[in-house]
Amino acid sequence: MLEVMERPAQQPVPAASEAKSTAHEKLVIFAWSGDLDRVWPTLILATTAAASGMATTVFFTFWGLFPLVREDRRITGKNMMQKMLAVMNRGGIDYLKLSKLQMFGAGSGMMKVLAKQHQVASPAELLASAIELGVKLIPCQMTMDLMGLTTADLIEGIEEPAGAMTAMLDAKDAVTLFI
Amino acid sequence: MTLTQAAITKTIDARGMACPGPLMSLIGAIRAGAVGDTVAVLSGDAGSKTDIPAWVAKAKHELVEVAPADGYSTFVVRKAH
């Protein structure tokens, strides 16, 4: 750790690479998945980046939107298909499923026990930290319309819904991840 | 309607189109047009409210006016270069 930190002081940094380093002070994550094992690392990376001083944005699209659904909104959507979607795919940060070994809830349950044993923060805790650290959490407006989600269905502390161009312009000079 | 008196070169009715449809139509019209042309795009997509101004600023054109109406907004953009 110390060695790494000392390196810039020992070697004078040329101007060109200085400019380059500023291009890596931003992180934009496109959170497409609502799976526990993808949302978890997304939130760990986002909070870590924000804590390290990077301007961090997470753009939530498609399945990625459902973790942002409020605890008290069980059924979302305006029409039958959107409501069925909410029935089959429960929203909320506490109801995420593993992409494999889910085993009707046993898998994600065991994963949460393991995480507790290893003192890994839960997705809900990480989401709260992300908001506290000033991570910009942007829901995709188009997917919200498609899935029948409104801003009232989503948790507080997130940004106004936006479109793909807003996310892309943010991503232009950032490190980007699609998770 | 509180649209400016400036002559609008082209009007695109993108109501009913979802993100990024209205913006893509606008970008197409701006690209195809001449410098100084004014393009109006009607969009009911809520994402347009952030996306269109963000693109116009980034592409360094001019957002002449945003006129909200019932269920949609009209975005007037002038091709600056």
Side-chain angles (χ1 to χ4, degrees):
Chain A
M1 191 76 180
L2 254 179
E3 223 176 60
V4 177
M5 285 168 74
E6 274 170 11
R7 203 170 295 156
Q10 288 166 348
Q11 298 174 341
V13 186
S17 70
E18 223 166 68
K20 206 178 169 190
S21 77
T22 59
H24 294 285
E25 279 163 20
K26 252 174 97 180
L27 173 69
V28 176
I29 301 176
F30 294 86
W32 161 84
S33 172
D35 291 338
L36 175 65
D37 41 5
R38 287 181 190 267
V39 173
W40 217 330
T42 297
L43 292 171
I44 288 181
L45 291 171
T47 48
T48 309
S52 82
M54 291 171 94
T56 309
T57 298
V58 186
F59 185 70
F60 294 87
T61 183
F62 226 91
W63 304 116
L65 272 179
F66 286 89
L68 295 180
V69 171
R70 291 162 56 124
E71 168 75 28
D72 59 354
R73 288 288 197 289
R74 179 61 192 96
I75 304 298
T76 54
K78 292 175 195 105
N79 61 41
M80 198 57 203
M81 280 188 284
Q82 291 168 339
K83 283 177 180 158
M84 279 302 289
L85 184 66
V87 171
M88 310 283 283
N89 183 57
R90 178 168 197 169
I93 193 72
D94 291 324
Y95 303 98
L96 308 178
K97 292 175 180 159
L98 285 172
S99 66
K100 61 186 280 186
L101 303 175
Q102 170 63 8
M103 300 182 291
F104 305 103
S108 51
M110 282 189 270
M111 197 56 75
K112 283 172 186 171
V113 170
L114 284 175
K116 207 161 219 174
Q117 283 172 0
H118 287 82
Q119 297 182 23
V120 177
S122 72
E125 288 165 344
L126 288 165
L127 186 58
S129 317
I131 293 169
E132 211 168 288
L133 286 163
V135 175
K136 275 166 71 186
L137 306 171
I138 307 177
C140 168
Q141 178 72 59
M142 189 269 273
T143 321
M144 285 175 67
D145 295 341
L146 191 72
M147 309 281 198
L149 295 168
T150 64
T151 45
D153 294 325
L154 305 182
I155 58 166
E156 284 167 21
I158 62 174
E159 303 292 312
E160 284 299 307
M165 183 60 80
T166 303
M168 275 303 156
L169 292 178
D170 213 0
K172 261 190 160 175
D173 53 351
V175 175
T176 54
L177 300 170
F178 185 94
I179 304 178
Chain B
M1 290 278 264
T2 54
L3 284 184
T4 43
Q5 299 305 307
I8 287 164
T9 320
K10 191 179 181 183
T11 300
I12 304 158
D13 189 351
R15 286 175 293 181
M17 283 175 104
C19 163
L23 176 58
M24 291 302 139
S25 308
L26 170 68
I27 293 174
I30 289 286
R31 275 206 183 140
V35 174
D37 278 4
T38 308
V39 178
V41 58
L42 282 58
S43 172
D45 166 46
S48 291
K49 284 175 194 159
T50 50
D51 270 25
I52 291 179
W55 175 77
V56 171
K58 187 76 187 178
K60 296 188 169 66
H61 292 293
E62 187 194 342
L63 187 59
V64 179
E65 184 160 18
V66 182
D70 188 25
Y72 70 97
S73 289
T74 304
F75 300 83
V76 183
V77 180
R78 184 177 296 126
K79 180 169 169 136
H81 54 87

